[in-house]
Amino acid sequence: MRIAATYENGNIFQHFGRTESFKVYDVEDGKVLSSKVIGSGGVGHGALAGLLADNTIDVLICGGIGGGAVNAIEEAGIKLYAGASGSTDAAVDALIAGRLEAISEANCNHHDHNEGHECAH
C-alpha cells in the first residue's frame, strides 16, 4: 500500500489545494518500508489528484479539503482520510493500526482564495 500525507515541517498541511509537498510512505504487512517527500510542482486542487495517481497512491491523509478535490480524489480511486492533524508519521501509524477514521467528505468551504475560508478542523 502507498500512503501520501499533505506535508509541511513534519506535520499534516491543513489545506490540500495549497500543499507544496506530500510525504509518501510505502507500507507492507503493517510496516512502513520507506518514506520520501515529493513536491507538488506548484499544481493545485484537481491536478494534485493526478499527481497522486501518477505516484500510485492508494490512500491520502490530509487536513482541510474542498468538494472538488474530494471528487477528483475519488475519481482517481484514492481512499481519503480528511480532517487529520499533527505529525504525518503519527497519522500513518494510526492508519496502519486501524485508529484513523476515514472521512471522505469535504470539510473546507471556500471558492476564492483571496477571501477568508472556513475549515472544519
Side-chain angles (χ1 to χ4, degrees), residues 42-67:
V43 299
H45 295 97
L48 289 172
L51 172 73
L52 295 173
D54 289 347
N55 281 277
T56 62
I57 301 301
D58 301 300
V59 174
L60 170 65
I61 301 171
C62 67
I65 187 168

Side-chain angles (χ1 to χ4, degrees), residues 64-115:
I65 187 168
V70 168
N71 292 338
I73 293 296
E74 287 176 354
E75 287 175 15
I78 299 168
K79 184 164 179 75
L80 177 61
Y81 289 79
S85 61
S87 162
T88 56
D89 293 347
V92 169
D93 289 343
L95 173 68
I96 292 169
R99 296 187 317 266
L100 191 65
E101 183 180 350
I103 299 174
S104 58
E105 298 174 359
N107 61 0
C108 192
N109 183 17
H110 63 285
H111 296 283
D112 183 349
H113 289 289
N114 295 323
E115 297 177 9

Side-chain angles (χ1 to χ4, degrees), residues 4-8 11-16 19 21-23 60-63 88:
T6 54
Y7 183 80
E8 183 178 60
N11 292 312
I12 296 169
F13 185 70
Q14 291 300 304
H15 191 279
F16 173 78
T19 193
S21 301
F22 292 94
K23 190 164 183 182
L60 170 65
I61 301 171
C62 67
T88 56

